[in-house]
């Protein structure tokens, strides 16, 4: 069980439903622009959790949507954590399944979000996967909580402004 020192306030979840793949990006973009604007106006930092899969592809044109809305995204004030990540490296020949890699390639690298404001797992811990997969995975999760989630939330008063989770074709999130 992972613990955080922050007392979480209640979050309002919202399920966004799109009639087609073509309308997903605009729907996500308007949600992100609204959450970002609100967070930056109230505390000058925006925290967002992203999942992988096809989600990063829908964010590729987010900068243009901010421009169209005449809103400065202030990407230098964004902090991006991973809502889920596979225990695989984010670079190299075995990185095709990495959500961090996908987020970087399809969205973050072109957005202007500082590279030190997107937080992946501690990949040095992956070396224990063959010997003890469950123990290694739990250690990586604890490390991510302690070294990433808790410090990022401390920048935003314990608030995660937005978590974007997708649904896979088999219904997984």
């Amino acid at each position: 069980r992972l613990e955080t020192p922050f007392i979480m306030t209640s979050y309002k979840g919202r399920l966004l439903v799109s009639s087609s793949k073509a309308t997903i990006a605009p729907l996500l973009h308007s949600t992100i622009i609204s959450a970002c604007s609100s967070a930056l106006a109230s505390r000058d930092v925006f925290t967002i959790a992203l999942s992988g899969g096809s989600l990063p592809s829908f964010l590729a044109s987010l900068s243009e949507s901010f421009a169209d809305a005449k809103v400065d995204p202030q990407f230098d004030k964004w902090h991006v954590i991973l809502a889920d990540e596979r225990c695989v490296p984010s670079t190299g020949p075995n990185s095709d399944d990495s959500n961090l890699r996908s987020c970087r390639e399809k969205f973050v690298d072109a957005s202007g979000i500082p590279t030190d404001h997107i937080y992946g797992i501690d990949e040095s811990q992956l070396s224990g996967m063959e010997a003890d997969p469950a123990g290694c995975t739990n250690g990586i999760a604890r490390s991510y909580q302690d070294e990433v989630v808790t410090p990022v939330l401390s920048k935003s008063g314990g608030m995660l402004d937005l978590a974007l989770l997708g649904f896979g074709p088999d219904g997984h999130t």
Side-chain angles (χ1 to χ4, degrees), residues 9-44:
T9 58
S10 64
Y11 284 95
K12 293 180 183 175
R14 203 171 77 180
L15 178 64
L16 302 176
V17 178
S18 177
S19 60
S20 71
K21 277 191 171 187
T23 61
I24 294 173
L27 184 61
L28 289 174
H29 294 187
S30 65
T31 301
I32 294 168
I33 291 167
S34 175
C36 176
S37 298
S38 177
L40 292 175
S42 68
R43 62 180 184 290
D44 213 32

Side-chain angles (χ1 to χ4, degrees), residues 41-150:
S42 68
R43 62 180 184 290
D44 213 32
V45 66
F46 179 57
T47 55
I48 184 170
L50 300 177
S51 63
S54 59
L55 179 69
S57 297
F58 293 115
L59 304 181
S61 61
L62 181 61
S63 294
E64 291 83 10
S65 292
F66 270 102
D68 291 345
K70 296 180 179 32
V71 173
D72 178 3
Q74 301 179 57
F75 284 128
D76 60 314
K77 297 177 181 178
W78 284 42
H79 292 271
V80 180
I81 62 174
L82 300 175
D84 62 350
E85 178 58 303
R86 296 177 178 107
C87 288
V88 297
S90 63
T91 59
N94 298 321
S95 64
D96 289 346
D97 290 332
S98 170
N99 289 333
L100 177 59
R101 176 183 171 181
S102 179
C103 285
R104 282 183 175 148
E105 289 178 352
K106 296 174 181 161
F107 167 59
V108 175
D109 288 349
S111 70
I113 297 171
T115 56
D116 64 341
H117 286 200
I118 178 163
Y119 307 92
I121 61 172
D122 179 356
E123 294 180 28
S124 70
Q125 296 181 0
L126 292 173
S127 60
M129 284 301 289
E130 284 187 34
D132 182 12
C136 185
T137 302
N138 287 334
I140 290 170
R142 276 191 301 280
S143 174
Y144 198 77
Q145 177 69 34
D146 295 343
E147 297 172 21
V148 174
V149 175
T150 298

